[in-house]
Amino acid sequence: MTTAHHEDRLSGQIQFILEIDKLKRVLRRNLLIDGSRRENDAEHSWHLGMLALVMAEHAEPGVNLDRVVRMLLVHDIVEIDAGDTFIYDVVAVEAQEAAERAAADRIFGLLPGDQATEFRALWDEFEARETPEARFAKALDRLAPIMANHHNEGGTWALYKVTARQVREKVAIISDGSATLGAFAVDLVETSVARGHLAP
Amino acid sequence: MTTAHHEDRLSGQIQFILEIDKLKRVLRRNLLIDGSRRENDAEHSWHLGMLALVMAEHAEPGVNLDRVVRMLLVHDIVEIDAGDTFIYDVVAVEAQEAAERAAADRIFGLLPGDQATEFRALWDEFEARETPEARFAKALDRLAPIMANHHNEGGTWALYKVTARQVREKVAIISDGSATLGAFAVDLVETSVARGHLAP
């Protein structure tokens, strides 16, 4: 490997690292657990990485936990260009897909070719939700806002007029990735309904 | 494993996940790359996890990258209780150590015993900086604010009257973890001095 080649690689890697700093400014709909402000995508991605490490034993046996963590660190980077989409806004979710693919091309494309391919593959795998790793990662991504809303007297559910029926559909995705966490999410949802924090 | 035992474990895990959400509210001295606001510990930890994945090839050969990522996700959690310490404030850094150990006892202690031990070991390893994984993790933790200050016309260096001599001492820690990234950091520091963004 020549020095010039080496420097080219580092330069692309640095550009990518500087670019993804913008994820700290992409706001999600849901609030922090203490309700004080909206959460951003970067801190959300960290929290999901920790959730994966802590909840590992509730994944399907044999799941490659480190791949789950990598997928979660990468999963929202496309939102730097494409923005956050509220998962209960069906029309927006469909329109979002092309924008996210273009974002993945541009942002992962800042990296040296082999790494662009590697990171893009992590994101594609997460989106496709076909591997046990992706199912577990997606389950955690769905669980986190339910936990936040449950602790915020309904939080964004009330604000955006989301009903329990809609939330239960998302809970099915959690159960696909982890039976234990699916059951836990059902408890949170039904408790929120019982408390009047989520419309039935 | 009984159901009651299972539920106890999950309950501790959930408590820990809710507790560490507070890391999103611990502010660091340095700014985001775009200079718009101060960075918090949670989004910083995410950025370091990404930095590890992207810069892997610049670590010592044979470094366990996934352990580096785990260490970086965990490394600032003690600051929920102990607060962020500015690394150029030597007196504060010394006083901080006992506070951080107490924080580690309390926060990791929310987890089931085996996990409390596992996460505490990650944090202890990071702090001791004796393994190649910890040296690489610490190098990235030192590199990130230098990158941010370099892109912010000196950023917190000017604000807190930090000199190039002080920064060069931190750069030595980067070189310990990665020769390539150490050389890159030296470039950033000397460019900042040449531009008048860092006092010599």
Side-chain angles (χ1 to χ4, degrees), chain A residues 43-109:
Chain A
E43 62 196 4
H44 160 70
S45 300
W46 166 78
H47 209 185
L48 291 187
M50 288 302 305
L51 201 49
L53 294 181
V54 167
M55 298 300 180
E57 70 199 57
H58 307 302
E60 293 174 36
V63 158
N64 178 340
L65 183 64
D66 291 308
R67 189 159 181 87
V68 173
V69 171
R70 291 178 182 211
M71 231 180 269
L72 287 169
L73 293 183
V74 162
H75 85 289
D76 268 345
I77 286 176
V78 295
E79 296 191 355
I80 289 170
D81 287 351
D84 181 54
T85 304
F86 195 45
I87 56 166
Y88 296 106
D89 182 345
V90 177
V91 177
V93 167
E94 289 179 5
Q96 186 80 348
E97 291 181 6
E100 291 194 347
R101 279 193 300 273
D105 289 345
R106 184 187 77 78
I107 303 169
F108 296 130

Side-chain angles (χ1 to χ4, degrees), chain A residues 9 24-25 34 39 57, chain B residues 24-25 34 39 57:
Chain A
R9 287 187 65 85
K24 300 169 186 171
R25 301 197 61 195
D34 70 1
E39 188 182 35
E57 70 199 57
Chain B
K24 300 169 187 171
R25 300 198 62 196
D34 70 1
E39 187 182 36
E57 70 201 57

Side-chain angles (χ1 to χ4, degrees), chain A residues 9 13 17 21 24-25 33-34 37 39-40 43 46-47 54 57-58 66 70 73 115, chain B residues 9 13 17 21 24-25 33-34 37 39-40 43 46-47 54 57-58 66 70 73 115 151:
Chain A
R9 287 187 65 85
Q13 290 159 345
I17 287 297
D21 198 75
K24 300 169 186 171
R25 301 197 61 195
I33 300 287
D34 70 1
R37 63 164 171 81
E39 188 182 35
N40 72 58
E43 62 196 4
W46 166 78
H47 209 185
V54 167
E57 70 199 57
H58 307 302
D66 291 308
R70 291 178 182 211
L73 293 183
Q115 289 189 301
Chain B
R9 286 186 66 85
Q13 290 159 344
I17 287 296
D21 199 76
K24 300 169 187 171
R25 300 198 62 196
I33 299 286
D34 70 1
R37 62 164 171 80
E39 187 182 36
N40 72 58
E43 60 196 7
W46 165 79
H47 209 186
V54 167
E57 70 201 57
H58 308 300
D66 291 308
R70 290 179 185 211
L73 293 183
Q115 289 188 300
H151 282 265

Side-chain angles (χ1 to χ4, degrees), chain B residues 40-62:
Chain B
N40 72 58
D41 270 347
E43 60 196 7
H44 161 69
S45 300
W46 165 79
H47 209 186
L48 291 188
M50 288 302 305
L51 202 49
L53 294 181
V54 167
M55 299 298 180
E57 70 201 57
H58 308 300
E60 292 174 37

Side-chain angles (χ1 to χ4, degrees), chain B residues 82-138:
Chain B
D84 180 53
T85 304
F86 196 45
I87 56 166
Y88 297 105
D89 182 346
V90 177
V91 177
V93 167
E94 288 179 6
Q96 185 82 347
E97 291 182 5
E100 291 195 346
R101 281 193 299 273
D105 290 345
R106 184 188 77 77
I107 303 170
F108 296 130
L110 296 170
L111 287 165
D114 57 325
Q115 289 188 300
T117 303
E118 177 195 337
F119 282 80
R120 175 61 182 259
L122 283 169
W123 181 69
D124 285 340
E125 182 178 341
F126 175 81
E127 289 293 308
R129 216 168 56 85
E130 285 168 359
T131 63
E133 284 77 14
R135 280 195 295 272
F136 187 57
K138 200 70 140 186

